[in-house]
Structures are given as structure tokens and as C-alpha cells.
């Protein structure tokens, strides 16, 4: 089955829409745009697909009620606008879905909710129950309390993470641009790319930054990064225009589709690779790097003390640490079995030379995942 067919036939689908597709700086929420999006989502849900909607727009929706003419730059005012705007946004979605006899549930997340294993599992259970009850979850970053230290960065990345949390079959990123172009779409002759089989296909693509008056924070660069994240974990992605939402969520041949470039990771390995917070680093020799990164997961070996050349950080047994190669590159992440205070007496020693209580794996093969070097989602050149 092609990646486009997988998106069209997905039984569990994450759909993300950006602020610029729902709002304007002067008028706040554009109800007609929101209603058109909801109509498209409801039509897809009516076919039996479970849809999770990741929606930006809280800050932008709060501008008009607060009498602000543009997106504020200071964090406190952004959070105030989000507090007001999230209420308007959720109410608008509830009213719009009610026309289709659909119940919506609000899910607000910060990165703190997913970098730790227990909250991550709680989020999974909450989504499963909402979907089991026939609810359409409407997800947003919790901008009211999020700070720079705990932000996802943008809702495109959040949508890619949610797609894996819920085990989605596909991800649709709706934008104010019809798809991915080989140049700034405002440039005459720019052509839309139909399908991407690897991020190397986009090595020469030039991507414009969001405009100075934009109500959003992402732009196409963040969508490419999110598509790279999701497709690398086995989830096909469609980038399409929000104005074409009905076609994008139906059988229409629109937008740019990203084929999966990596295997579908288990929820635990995805969490380790992309979401878990790291508390320290273990430095490995070349032999240890080879052992923990080579071959399929079923043949990969555990990290033993003999392959470790040093450690840094303040961590406890059960924390996630980065495994670093001789040249300083992160090659894997894993759950460490020893405290940082215990590591100096373990470093470089063979198992037979350790005390009996220390003769175990420092990081077990079941608790580590290689990181690898993924191709950049966007070339270094950025259009003005």
C-alpha cells in the first residue's frame, strides 16, 4: 500500500491545523474557517476513523478579546492571551462539532507531561479512553503555563509526538500552503513535490520563514521537521492546505505525502528516543558503540561496564542517559541501572572483575534505543 493510500485509509488519524489557518491578527478566530475544518474532520470520523485534532490558535484567539493588535513577544502576555484564547477556541470547537453530534475533549500538554514515563503512560490511557467513548480529542500545548524550558517548540512537533502516543496510522499537517514546494511558493515557477521517500529528497529545498505579522510560530520548516520525526518512526505524513481539508481527509490527491523511512517503534522505544528527559551521559569506546547500535533490536547487545570510558551528570538508577561515542556524538539513549556515584568504580572494568552485586548490564538491551544521524529536514539555506 502506498503512503498516500495509507493516509486515506487510516483508521486512527492525527490532524494538525495551525494558527494562520484558523485566525487572523485583527479578527481573532475565523469561525467560517474553523467550521470548514470541523466539517472535514466530522466527515472523516463518520467513516469510522478515530480522529485526534491538534489545534494551534489559543494565543491568536486571545488577541482580539484583549485588544492586542499583534502576537505579544513577552511570555507573560502570551500566557494571558492563551488563557483567554483557549476558552474561545475550545468553545468554538465544541459548538462546531455539536452540529455533527460529536463530543470533543480538551487535552492540554507540556513537555513535562511526556518526558517522564508515568505521565506519558497516563496520556496514552487518557487518549485511549476518550477515543473509546467516541470523543474527538482536541489537543494543544498548554501555553498558559508553558515556559521556554518546557515547551515542545511548536505544535507540528507536538502532533508528531501525539501520533505515536496514540498509535496513529497516519498524520496530516494542515497549513496555509498547499504542500511542500521546491522553492518559496511565492516564487514564479516553484513546483509542489508530490511524494517524499526520504529527507534527502528535500536537500535543495528552500523554505520561507513565517512572516513578521504571522500569528503562528511554525512555518514549513517545522512541518518538515515534524514529518521527518513521524516518518522516521514509521508513520506516513501528509502536508496539505487547510483550505483543502475536505480533500486531504478524504480521497483527494492533494498535498505532499511523506513515506515512512524507518520501522514503527514500540511506544517505549519511541519515548526513549524522542521524548524522555536525559539526566546524564555515558561515554563509550568504539567497541561498545558497535555493540549497542549495530543490527536489528533483537540482536543488539547490552552496554557493559568494560565499554564505558567515563560518565557525567547527576543521575539515579532508572534514569534515562545518553550514550556518547568517542567523538562526542550521541549514538543511543537508555535507562541506566546504576547511580552516577557508582559509575567511577565501574568504568572500563570487565564483569568478572566487579563485585558480585555489580555484575549486571549498565544499560540492558531492552532499555536502550539507537539515535543515529537522521538527515536534516531542511537545507541550511532559508529564504528571506
Amino acid at each position: 500500500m502506498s503512503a498516500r493510500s495509507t493516509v486515506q485509509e487510516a483508521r486512527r488519524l492525527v490532524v494538525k491545523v495551525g494558527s494562520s489557518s484558523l485566525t487572523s491578527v485583527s479578527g481573532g478566530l475565523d469561525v467560517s474557517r474553523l467550521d470548514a475544518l470541523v466539517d472535514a474532520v466530522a466527515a472523516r470520523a463518520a467513516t469510522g476513523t478515530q480522529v485526534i485534532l491538534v489545534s494551534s490558535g489559543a494565543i491568536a484567539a486571545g488577541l482580539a478579546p484583549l485588544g492586542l493588535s499583534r502576537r505579544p513577544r513577552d511570555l507573560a502576555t502570551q500566557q494571558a492571551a492563551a488563557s483567554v484564547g483557549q476558552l474561545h477556541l475550545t468553545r468554538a470547537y465544541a459548538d462546531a462539532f455539536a452540529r455533527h453530534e460529536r463530543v470533543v475533549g480538551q487535552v492540554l500538554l507540556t513537555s513535562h507531561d511526556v518526558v517522564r514515563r508515568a505521565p506519558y503512560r497516563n496520556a496514552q490511557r487518557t487518549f485511549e479512553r476518550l477515543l473509546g467513548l467516541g470523543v474527538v480529542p482536541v489537543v494543544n500545548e498548554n501555553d498558559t503555563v508553558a515556559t521556554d524550558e518546557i515547551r515542545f517548540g511548536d505544535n507540528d512537533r507536538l502532533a508528531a509526538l501525539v501520533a505515536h502516543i496514540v498509535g496513529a496510522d497516519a498524520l496530516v499537517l494542515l497549513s496555509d500552503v498547499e504542500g511542500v514546494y521546491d522553492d518559496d511558493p511565492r516564487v514564479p515557477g516553484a513546483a509542489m513535490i508530490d511524494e517524499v521517500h526520504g529527507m534527502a529528497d528535500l536537500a535543495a529545498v528552500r523554505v520561507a520563514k513565517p512572516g513578521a505579522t504571522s500569528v503562528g510560530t511554525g512555518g514549513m520548516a517545522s512541518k518538515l521537521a515534524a514529518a521527518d520525526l513521524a516518518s522516521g518512526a514509521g508513520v506516513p505524513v501528509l502536508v496539505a492546505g487547510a483550505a483543502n481539508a475536505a480533500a486531504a481527509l478524504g480521497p483527494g490527491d492533494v498535498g505532499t505525502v511523506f513515506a515512512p523511512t524507518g520501522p514503527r517503534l514500540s511506544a517505549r522505544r519511541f519515548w526513549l528516543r524522542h521524548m524522555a528527559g536525559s539526566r546524564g551521559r555515558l561515554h563509550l569506546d568504539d567497541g561498545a558503540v558497535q555493540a549497542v547500535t549495530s543490527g536489528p533490536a533483537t540482536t543488539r547487545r547490552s552496554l557493559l561496564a568494560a565499554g564505558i570510558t567515563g560518565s557525567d551528570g547527576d543521575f539515579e538508577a532508572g534514569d534515562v542517559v545518553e550514550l556518547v561515542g568517542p567523538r562526542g556524538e550521541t549514538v543511543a539513549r537508555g535507562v541506566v541501572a546504576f547511580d552516577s556515584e557508582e559509575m567511577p568504580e565501574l568504568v572500563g572494568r570487565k564483569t568478572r572483575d566487579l563485585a558480585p552485586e555489580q555484575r549486571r548490564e549498565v544499560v540492558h538491551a531492552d532499555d536502550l534505543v539507537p539515535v543515529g544521524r537522521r538527515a536534516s529536514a531542511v537545507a541550511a539555506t532559508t529564504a528571506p
Side-chain angles (χ1 to χ4, degrees), residues 183-195:
D183 202 343
D184 187 329
R186 295 168 293 187
V187 175
M192 190 168 69
I193 300 169
D194 179 67
E195 189 163 346

Side-chain angles (χ1 to χ4, degrees), residues 60-85:
L63 300 185
L66 293 176
L68 301 175
S69 60
R70 64 179 59 187
R71 183 185 177 93
R73 295 186 178 182
D74 66 288
L75 180 61
T77 309
Q78 289 178 9
Q79 291 174 325
S83 177
V84 173

Side-chain angles (χ1 to χ4, degrees), residues 19-36:
S19 297
S20 59
S21 300
L22 296 176
T23 63
S24 65
V25 172
S26 60
L29 277 176
D30 186 325
V31 177
S32 62
R33 290 184 180 184
L34 186 142
D35 283 347

Side-chain angles (χ1 to χ4, degrees), residues 21-337:
S21 300
L22 296 176
T23 63
S24 65
V25 172
S26 60
L29 277 176
D30 186 325
V31 177
S32 62
R33 290 184 180 184
L34 186 142
D35 283 347
L37 170 67
V38 168
D39 289 346
V41 171
R44 179 60 181 262
T47 69
T49 299
Q50 295 177 324
V51 182
I52 300 92
L53 180 60
V54 178
S55 176
S56 302
I59 293 177
L63 300 185
L66 293 176
L68 301 175
S69 60
R70 64 179 59 187
R71 183 185 177 93
R73 295 186 178 182
D74 66 288
L75 180 61
T77 309
Q78 289 178 9
Q79 291 174 325
S83 177
V84 173
Q86 188 64 48
L87 178 63
H88 286 262
L89 185 66
T90 304
R91 183 171 59 193
Y93 274 124
D95 291 344
F97 276 105
R99 294 187 290 103
H100 300 277
E101 298 183 345
R102 291 277 174 183
V103 176
V104 301
Q106 178 179 263
V107 181
L108 299 178
L109 297 172
T110 70
S111 63
H112 273 183
D113 298 319
V114 293
V115 298
R116 298 188 303 276
R117 184 64 180 165
Y120 177 86
R121 290 288 296 139
N122 288 338
Q124 282 186 313
R125 286 190 288 266
T126 298
F127 277 118
E128 285 296 332
R129 189 62 182 134
L130 286 169
L131 294 170
L133 291 170
V135 174
V136 177
V138 178
V139 186
N140 196 359
E141 182 161 16
N142 194 350
D143 291 310
T144 300
V145 299
T147 64
D148 289 340
E149 289 75 21
I150 62 172
R151 293 184 65 85
F152 288 100
D154 58 71
N155 272 359
D156 294 310
R157 181 170 184 268
L158 172 59
L161 299 178
V162 168
H164 206 283
I165 290 173
V166 302
D169 299 310
L171 168 64
V172 175
L173 301 174
L174 298 176
S175 172
D176 53 359
V177 181
E178 295 177 1
V180 180
Y181 285 75
D182 59 7
D183 202 343
D184 187 329
R186 295 168 293 187
V187 175
M192 190 168 69
I193 300 169
D194 179 67
E195 189 163 346
V196 177
H197 295 278
M199 299 311 291
D201 292 351
L202 303 178
V205 170
R206 298 172 68 245
V207 179
K209 297 178 181 178
T213 60
S214 173
V215 294
T217 60
M220 188 54 68
S222 72
K223 287 170 181 57
L224 295 184
D228 185 30
L229 173 61
S231 62
V235 180
V237 181
L238 175 67
V239 176
N244 295 326
L249 300 183
D253 185 9
V254 297
T256 301
V257 67
F258 291 74
T261 58
R264 177 74 69 136
L265 297 175
S266 68
R268 179 169 178 77
R269 290 185 181 275
F270 186 88
W271 172 76
L272 276 173
R273 182 171 183 175
H274 296 295
M275 304 174 77
S278 173
R279 300 296 301 273
R281 301 193 302 172
L282 302 181
H283 298 270
L284 281 54
D285 62 25
D286 284 323
V289 170
Q290 182 76 6
V292 302
T293 61
S294 298
T298 53
T299 62
R300 219 169 280 136
R301 289 183 287 169
S302 301
L303 175 63
L304 303 179
I308 301 174
T309 60
S311 68
D312 52 66
D314 182 14
F315 52 85
E316 299 179 356
D319 284 341
V320 174
V321 296
E322 295 183 355
L323 309 185
V324 181
R327 286 156 292 281
E329 75 283 11
T330 298
V331 298
R333 308 180 93 220
V335 179
V336 66

